[in-house]
Amino acid sequence: MSVTVRFAPSPTGNIHIGNVRTALFNWLYALKHGGSFILRFDDTDVARSKQEYADQIAADLDWLGVRPHRVEYQSKRGAAHDAAAEKLKQSGLLYPCYETAEELERRRKIRLSRRLPPVYGREALKLADEEKTAFEAEGRKPHWRFLLPNFANDPFETQRTEIHWDDVVRGPQTVDLASMSDPVLVREDGSYLYTLPSVVDDIDLGVTHVIRGDDHVTNTGAQIALFRALGSEAPAFGHHNLLTTTTGEGLSKRSGALSIKALREAGYESMAVVSLAVLIGTSEAVAAAPSLEVMAESFDPSSSSKSAAKFDPAELDVLNRQIVHQLPFETVAARLAAVGVDTGDPRAEGFWTVIRANVEKVEDAADWWAIVTQAPATDAVLEGDDLAYAREAFDLLPDGEVGEATWGEWTSAVKSATGRKGRALFMPLRIALTGRSSGPEIADLLPLLGREEILGRRP
């Protein structure tokens, strides 16, 4: 059987690293099994769904290397959802309920006070046609519940009804339908909640594997029952652990700091985001992967822990440095040019090779390019004895063309003349040349500066 997976975000905001974890699990699973990946926008929330968010989600996935084989919008599939709802109504499996939220809450409290599970008692099934007419006459609109198959003959006498599935991530799972309320599939205004459109679309689009967050585990039993009620076998399900903040709070679209858009704009490498989003909270070591294709070869969804994983931005910084420090010039040339590095300058490639181990992000190279081609920074200044020492040291710069050996020759001469050594010898020279107290090896920077520029930096 060929594998077909889907990622089904709601375009009501920018997706964050937790959402992307789900997208990547599905993408890697499809890659590993030679399958296809559907991007399906669950945009039935008309008031909050926006095309601009859908476009941003598609752009974020593309940046991460996730390129869907097919794109669908749930809002364009209303006829299929309506047909499924009508089929369920005709078979008596989707029934109208007229209780208000206050009435349902009161019944829930009564059941709890009697030490009964707070599940819906199916009171609406007892309503006579006259009662329904009366409710509608007073302006009530029904919501519609799916009748779970958790009884033999009498729906008011439920019995333990186990739904089993072999979870792609968590292994064998069991849910008892008798412990659940009949889920609401249609709201009072006729709009659908998540479950019905999702199941109908999974059937019609031929989805074979649904991999999602483990906050959906308890929903799976009812959804499998709904697949069967619509005459279809359910796909394989997998539920990975969720990401939280370092303080244990759930990630939210409302908090934009960890959105993929924000991380991209902050200059993070896509594979740093991918590596952390996939590997955190698994038995695999969190290390920067070279590509999604390489990652897919060893991808095993079952390696995920059953407990939530805490996302620490500091780990993302570590991974980002690992990647940036190895990037070749041709890979970053366009990005360097975009931040002001003259990639046509014959020094540009050598410059990147020298400074890349000293930047957090590619864009940070712009500051070093300004230091090399214009003037020292002003982060550190020379004073007192160090200032006098540096002036003397510049008079000892060896004659001739500046090359790889110049720094060694220069510091030897300075040591002999001043008696300084170690940090006291080289730090004032570093500050005079770069305006910073740390950075690339000065021996490597000197050839980029050239003799005239070096002497021009004499304090």
Side-chain angles (χ1 to χ4, degrees), residues 265-383:
E265 290 175 347
Y268 286 100
E269 300 299 310
S270 61
M271 282 309 299
V273 176
V274 165
S275 299
L276 188 58
V278 172
L279 297 175
I280 189 173
T282 72
S283 59
E284 300 292 320
V286 179
S291 69
L292 282 163
E293 288 71 23
V294 171
M295 183 176 277
E297 293 175 5
S298 59
F299 176 68
D300 180 5
S302 67
S303 68
S304 295
S305 166
K306 289 187 177 181
S307 58
K310 292 185 177 181
F311 171 76
D312 185 351
E315 291 187 73
L316 185 58
D317 291 330
V318 171
L319 291 176
N320 206 70
R321 285 194 293 270
Q322 290 176 5
I323 293 173
V324 169
H325 295 174
Q326 298 175 25
L327 289 173
F329 176 72
E330 57 270 19
T331 300
V332 298
R335 293 164 63 187
L336 292 174
V339 295
V341 176
D342 181 3
T343 52
D345 189 308
R347 296 173 294 174
E349 183 169 358
F351 160 79
W352 172 250
T353 302
V354 168
I355 65 95
R356 64 183 176 182
N358 290 272
V359 296
E360 299 278 322
K361 298 166 184 172
V362 170
E363 289 72 16
D364 296 341
D367 293 337
W368 278 106
W369 183 251
I371 289 171
V372 168
T373 61
Q374 298 174 28
T378 56
D379 302 348
V381 295
L382 291 171
E383 298 176 329

Side-chain angles (χ1 to χ4, degrees), residues 164-358:
H164 305 275
W165 74 95
D166 189 6
D167 199 280
V168 173
V169 179
R170 301 164 66 90
Q173 300 290 305
T174 299
V175 170
D176 175 19
L177 295 183
S179 67
M180 305 170 62
S181 294
D182 291 341
V184 177
L185 301 188
V186 187
R187 299 182 182 91
E188 286 83 352
D189 63 1
S191 64
Y192 296 106
L193 282 84
Y194 163 83
T195 304
L196 180 68
S198 180
V199 168
V200 171
D201 291 348
D202 284 342
I203 293 171
D204 290 354
L205 300 178
V207 172
T208 63
H209 293 73
V210 174
I211 302 175
R212 56 192 182 178
D214 61 14
D215 53 334
H216 288 286
V217 170
T218 56
N219 305 331
T220 304
Q223 289 171 10
I224 290 175
L226 183 55
F227 273 101
R228 294 172 180 171
L230 291 172
S232 177
E233 277 303 308
F237 285 92
H239 297 89
H240 63 74
N241 54 346
L242 300 179
L243 299 187
T244 69
T245 64
T246 52
T247 57
E249 300 168 347
L251 302 182
S252 168
K253 289 180 181 178
R254 298 181 187 87
S255 174
L258 297 180
S259 73
I260 301 306
K261 180 176 184 286
L263 294 174
R264 182 181 184 181
E265 290 175 347
Y268 286 100
E269 300 299 310
S270 61
M271 282 309 299
V273 176
V274 165
S275 299
L276 188 58
V278 172
L279 297 175
I280 189 173
T282 72
S283 59
E284 300 292 320
V286 179
S291 69
L292 282 163
E293 288 71 23
V294 171
M295 183 176 277
E297 293 175 5
S298 59
F299 176 68
D300 180 5
S302 67
S303 68
S304 295
S305 166
K306 289 187 177 181
S307 58
K310 292 185 177 181
F311 171 76
D312 185 351
E315 291 187 73
L316 185 58
D317 291 330
V318 171
L319 291 176
N320 206 70
R321 285 194 293 270
Q322 290 176 5
I323 293 173
V324 169
H325 295 174
Q326 298 175 25
L327 289 173
F329 176 72
E330 57 270 19
T331 300
V332 298
R335 293 164 63 187
L336 292 174
V339 295
V341 176
D342 181 3
T343 52
D345 189 308
R347 296 173 294 174
E349 183 169 358
F351 160 79
W352 172 250
T353 302
V354 168
I355 65 95
R356 64 183 176 182
N358 290 272

Side-chain angles (χ1 to χ4, degrees), residues 4-300:
T4 299
V5 298
R6 47 81 163 172
F7 175 54
S10 298
T12 55
N14 293 322
I15 55 174
H16 52 64
I17 195 165
N19 305 133
V20 160
R21 180 173 173 82
T22 298
L24 290 168
F25 266 55
N26 280 281
W27 178 252
L28 292 169
Y29 196 83
L31 276 182
K32 184 166 186 173
H33 296 280
S36 60
F37 176 100
I38 299 170
L39 173 58
R40 190 183 75 208
F41 290 111
D42 286 6
D43 59 342
T44 53
D45 185 342
V46 178
R48 297 172 58 221
S49 295
K50 298 183 184 301
Q51 186 60 44
E52 63 192 75
Y53 289 131
D55 294 341
Q56 185 62 55
I57 290 169
D60 290 342
L61 293 178
D62 183 73
W63 177 66
L64 293 167
V66 176
R67 276 105 200 197
H69 301 95
R70 182 173 176 178
V71 178
E72 295 282 346
Y73 288 80
Q74 276 197 335
S75 59
K76 297 178 181 179
R77 294 183 43 76
H81 307 151
D82 293 344
E86 187 58 31
K87 177 180 179 180
L88 293 171
K89 289 177 182 178
Q90 292 300 321
S91 62
L93 296 179
L94 192 61
Y95 62 96
C97 306
Y98 292 86
E99 298 93 344
T100 65
E102 293 76 14
E103 289 169 345
L104 289 172
E105 178 61 18
R106 187 162 57 250
R107 287 180 187 171
R108 190 185 74 86
K109 289 180 178 178
I110 291 172
R111 291 185 68 88
L112 286 173
S113 69
R114 296 174 178 173
R115 297 186 179 181
L116 296 172
V119 297
Y120 179 62
R122 293 174 171 164
E123 288 82 0
L125 287 175
K126 299 177 181 178
L127 292 175
D129 290 342
E130 295 79 7
E131 292 174 293
K132 295 177 186 178
T133 300
F135 279 135
E136 294 188 9
E138 66 181 58
R140 292 200 193 192
K141 300 290 184 182
H143 55 273
W144 296 76
R145 290 181 184 266
F146 172 55
L147 184 62
L148 292 172
N150 53 11
F151 59 92
N153 298 307
D154 185 350
F156 300 102
E157 294 183 7
T158 59
Q159 61 188 30
R160 184 172 182 84
T161 306
E162 293 183 348
I163 295 286
H164 305 275
W165 74 95
D166 189 6
D167 199 280
V168 173
V169 179
R170 301 164 66 90
Q173 300 290 305
T174 299
V175 170
D176 175 19
L177 295 183
S179 67
M180 305 170 62
S181 294
D182 291 341
V184 177
L185 301 188
V186 187
R187 299 182 182 91
E188 286 83 352
D189 63 1
S191 64
Y192 296 106
L193 282 84
Y194 163 83
T195 304
L196 180 68
S198 180
V199 168
V200 171
D201 291 348
D202 284 342
I203 293 171
D204 290 354
L205 300 178
V207 172
T208 63
H209 293 73
V210 174
I211 302 175
R212 56 192 182 178
D214 61 14
D215 53 334
H216 288 286
V217 170
T218 56
N219 305 331
T220 304
Q223 289 171 10
I224 290 175
L226 183 55
F227 273 101
R228 294 172 180 171
L230 291 172
S232 177
E233 277 303 308
F237 285 92
H239 297 89
H240 63 74
N241 54 346
L242 300 179
L243 299 187
T244 69
T245 64
T246 52
T247 57
E249 300 168 347
L251 302 182
S252 168
K253 289 180 181 178
R254 298 181 187 87
S255 174
L258 297 180
S259 73
I260 301 306
K261 180 176 184 286
L263 294 174
R264 182 181 184 181
E265 290 175 347
Y268 286 100
E269 300 299 310
S270 61
M271 282 309 299
V273 176
V274 165
S275 299
L276 188 58
V278 172
L279 297 175
I280 189 173
T282 72
S283 59
E284 300 292 320
V286 179
S291 69
L292 282 163
E293 288 71 23
V294 171
M295 183 176 277
E297 293 175 5
S298 59
F299 176 68
D300 180 5

Side-chain angles (χ1 to χ4, degrees), residues 363-422:
E363 289 72 16
D364 296 341
D367 293 337
W368 278 106
W369 183 251
I371 289 171
V372 168
T373 61
Q374 298 174 28
T378 56
D379 302 348
V381 295
L382 291 171
E383 298 176 329
D385 291 344
D386 283 345
L387 178 59
Y389 157 73
R391 287 171 175 166
E392 179 184 354
F394 268 73
D395 293 334
L396 299 173
L397 180 68
D399 294 332
E401 184 177 351
V402 177
E404 296 179 359
T406 300
W407 177 244
E409 296 170 0
W410 188 10
T411 52
S412 291
V414 171
K415 181 178 181 181
S416 297
T418 67
R420 287 203 181 200
K421 57 184 179 181

